[in-house]
Amino acid sequence: MYAKMGLIYEAKQVFDEMPEKNVVLHNTMITGLLRCGMVEDSKRLFQGMKETDSISWTTMITGLVQNGLEREAIDLFGQMKLEGLSMDQYTFGSVLTACGGLTALEEVSNALITFYGKCGSPEDSSRLFNEMNFRDEVSWTALVSGYAQFGKANETIALFERMLAHGLKPDAVTFIGFFQLAAERDCRAGKLEEAKSFINKMPFHPDAIGWSTLLSSCRLYGNLDIGKWAAQSLLELEPQNPAGYILLSSIYAANGKWNHVAQLRRGMREKGARKEPGCSWIKYKNKVHIFSADDCSSPFCDQIYAELDKLNEKMIEEGYVPDASSVLHDVEESAKIQMLNYHSERLAIAFGLIFIPRGLPIRVVKNLRMENVHVEISGDMSLLPSKAVEDDIKAYYHLEE
C-alpha cells in the first residue's frame, strides 16, 4: 500500500520489519523501489531473494528499462532464459523496448543479435548480422556467443576464425566458449584423446559444463581413464556438483563395476552432493505442463504413454537399439530399457506430438543438462511429424526432421 502511494521509505521500513516475506511481497517492494528510481536498492533486494518467479524477473527487466538501463535489462533477460523461467508478452515487450531505447543503430542491432541468440534463434541472429553495414567486436561476440550457447560447434568455430581474420580481439568469455566448443566437437566425434590434448593446450580451464561434456562423452564411448580425469577435474572445481559422481558412476556401471558405483554413492553422501530430480516442461496454450520420469500425474497420461509406446515401436522397427548402459541399477536389461522409455523429456515430447499442430516447433525445456538425452533422441527425429527443439537451462540442443 505504502509503495503504491509513493511512500517508499515508509514501505521499506514496514517491509524490513516483517518477520516473514514471500515472493509476492518482494516483488511489490522491488516494483516500488524501481518506480522511485532506487535501482541499486532493487538490485540488492532481488539478488538477495531466496526464491524468485517469472514476475520477479520481469519486474526487474521492466524497471531497468524504465530507468534507462537498457543494456542491463537485456543482460538480465539472458540470465532469466538460462534459469528456465517462463516468459510472457510483458517480458518480451520490455526487452524489445530495451532494444529500441538504445540510441545508436549499431547498438540496437547488437542488442537484437544478443536477444535472438538468447531466445534460441541463432539463424535470426546471423541474418541480422549479415544485414549490418558496420560490425564491431560486440557484434561478433554476440553472434559467436549465440551459436556457442546453442551448442553449434562447427558454426561457432568458423565464426571465431572469421572474427580473428577481421583483426578483432575476442574477450575472455568468447575465448572460453570457443575452446570449450572445439573440445566438445572432438568429444561428440569420439576423439577423446584429441579432446584431452586440446583442453591441456587451452589458455583457460574449462568450466563445469565443459568438464561435464567430456565426462558424458567418456560415458558414451566407455573411456574410463579420461573419464576419471574429467571427473576429478570437475569435482575439484565443484565438489558438491553431483554430475561428476553420476557420470563416472555410469561408466563404472557400463563396465559392471558395481562396487565402484557404491563407493561413488557413498562419496556423494559424504560430500553432501545431491542429485536434483530431473524434470521437463513444455508450454501449450499459455499453460506449462511439467513431467518427471514415469510421471502419471498429467490428465492426458493415457494418451501420452500410448503415443510414446507407438513412437518406441517405430524406432525399434527402424533398427533403434536402446543404450541401457547409463542406468545405475544392477537389474535385468529389460528393466533398464523400461526405465529409459519413460524419461521426463520423452514424455514432454510425446505431449507435444499430441497437442502441438504439425509443422510447428516443439520446445521442451529441461532442468538438467541433456548430453545423454541428445544422443538418445537424435536418432528418432526422422520419425517425428514436426520440428522439435530441446532446450535446457545450461545448454541448447536443436533437433529437427
Side-chain angles (χ1 to χ4, degrees):
M1 181 180 71
Y2 286 113
K4 290 181 179 179
M5 294 173 63
L7 304 172
I8 193 62
Y9 293 105
E10 290 82 352
K12 194 171 184 305
Q13 182 178 351
V14 172
F15 179 84
D16 291 339
E17 293 174 355
M18 296 183 74
E20 295 185 6
K21 309 176 186 74
N22 58 22
V23 177
V24 176
L25 287 171
H26 274 89
N27 293 344
T28 303
M29 191 67 235
I30 289 172
T31 301
L33 290 169
L34 288 167
R35 284 177 178 172
C36 293
M38 300 171 69
V39 177
E40 294 304 319
D41 292 272
S42 67
K43 286 183 188 176
R44 281 192 292 271
L45 185 57
F46 175 75
Q47 292 165 0
M49 290 176 68
K50 294 180 179 179
E51 180 185 357
T52 59
D53 58 15
S54 58
I55 297 175
S56 314
W57 288 79
T58 300
T59 299
M60 278 300 305
I61 291 169
T62 304
L64 289 171
V65 173
Q66 291 171 345
N67 283 275
L69 300 170
E70 289 86 1
R71 176 62 60 185
E72 288 189 36
I74 293 169
D75 290 341
L76 191 61
F77 170 79
Q79 294 176 37
M80 182 181 182
K81 183 71 172 67
L82 291 175
E83 290 289 333
L85 294 165
S86 60
M87 304 175 192
D88 55 22
Q89 65 269 30
Y90 300 107
T91 313
F92 287 109
S94 295
V95 174
L96 290 174
T97 300
C99 293
L102 299 174
T103 53
L105 181 60
E106 289 76 17
E107 269 196 283
V108 175
S109 298
N110 291 341
L112 284 171
I113 290 172
T114 303
F115 175 77
Y116 286 135
K118 289 175 177 177
C119 285
S121 301
E123 291 81 7
D124 290 323
S125 295
S126 181
R127 192 177 302 113
L128 178 58
F129 177 85
N130 291 330
E131 291 174 356
M132 293 175 66
N133 294 322
F134 174 78
R135 308 179 189 97
D136 57 11
E137 287 90 344
V138 177
S139 314
W140 283 93
T141 299
L143 186 62
V144 170
S145 299
Y147 274 97
Q149 190 177 23
F150 209 79
K152 292 183 174 289
N154 292 332
E155 293 88 339
T156 303
I157 293 168
L159 281 169
F160 186 86
E161 291 172 348
R162 282 177 57 195
M163 184 177 182
L164 295 178
H166 279 77
L168 300 172
K169 295 182 179 180
D171 58 15
V173 175
T174 311
F175 259 118
I176 291 173
F178 164 73
F179 281 108
Q180 193 158 287
L181 268 176
E184 287 181 14
R185 179 184 60 178
D186 290 338
C187 288
R188 290 184 184 128
K191 301 176 181 178
L192 298 177
E193 290 292 345
E194 290 90 334
K196 181 179 179 180
S197 176
F198 196 95
I199 289 172
N200 284 329
K201 294 175 182 176
M202 286 171 57
F204 306 96
H205 293 295
D207 60 13
I209 292 178
W211 288 118
S212 297
T213 300
L214 177 59
L215 186 50
S216 181
S217 297
C218 290
R219 185 211 65 78
L220 178 63
Y221 294 102
N223 193 313
L224 184 57
D225 292 335
I226 296 180
K228 286 180 179 179
W229 173 66
Q232 183 180 358
S233 301
L234 175 59
L235 294 175
E236 286 176 359
L237 189 63
E238 295 184 356
Q240 292 186 316
N241 187 338
Y245 298 98
I246 294 166
L247 290 170
L248 186 56
S249 293
S250 297
I251 301 175
Y252 282 132
N255 287 275
K257 298 180 182 294
W258 296 106
N259 57 329
H260 289 82
V261 174
Q263 289 174 7
L264 283 170
R265 284 176 173 167
R266 284 195 296 272
M268 279 185 70
R269 289 194 294 269
E270 290 169 1
K271 293 288 186 181
R274 296 180 179 273
K275 181 181 182 297
E276 183 181 356
C279 65
S280 302
W281 57 93
I282 183 170
K283 192 171 184 179
Y284 174 64
K285 288 188 174 179
N286 293 320
K287 183 178 179 181
V288 177
H289 299 262
I290 304 174
F291 300 92
S292 56
D294 299 310
D295 196 345
C296 292
S297 61
S298 171
F300 310 105
C301 179
D302 292 340
Q303 293 172 261
I304 291 169
Y305 276 82
E307 180 71 23
L308 197 50
D309 288 340
K310 183 173 68 175
L311 184 59
N312 282 330
E313 288 177 10
K314 288 183 180 179
M315 290 162 59
I316 292 170
E317 289 173 3
E318 293 288 330
Y320 167 72
V321 179
D323 177 13
S325 62
S326 62
V327 178
L328 301 182
H329 298 281
D330 190 9
V331 296
E332 295 294 327
E333 188 75 8
S334 58
K336 291 182 179 182
I337 293 172
Q338 185 72 12
M339 292 177 185
L340 287 174
N341 285 343
Y342 305 121
H343 274 175
S344 65
E345 58 282 341
R346 289 176 174 238
L347 296 174
I349 288 175
F351 176 92
L353 291 173
I354 294 168
F355 293 103
I356 294 178
R358 183 184 178 92
L360 293 180
I362 296 174
R363 183 178 292 276
V364 176
V365 184
K366 188 173 174 66
N367 66 328
L368 303 176
R369 188 169 177 81
M370 298 190 296
E371 290 293 338
N372 301 337
V373 176
H374 174 60
V375 173
E376 292 290 337
I377 291 178
S378 60
D380 328 341
M381 297 314 295
S382 62
L383 301 175
L384 299 185
S386 60
K387 184 169 74 169
V389 178
E390 282 219 342
D391 175 2
D392 73 279
I393 62 176
K394 296 178 182 175
Y396 297 94
Y397 300 95
H398 190 173
L399 299 88
E400 61 183 30
E401 295 181 89

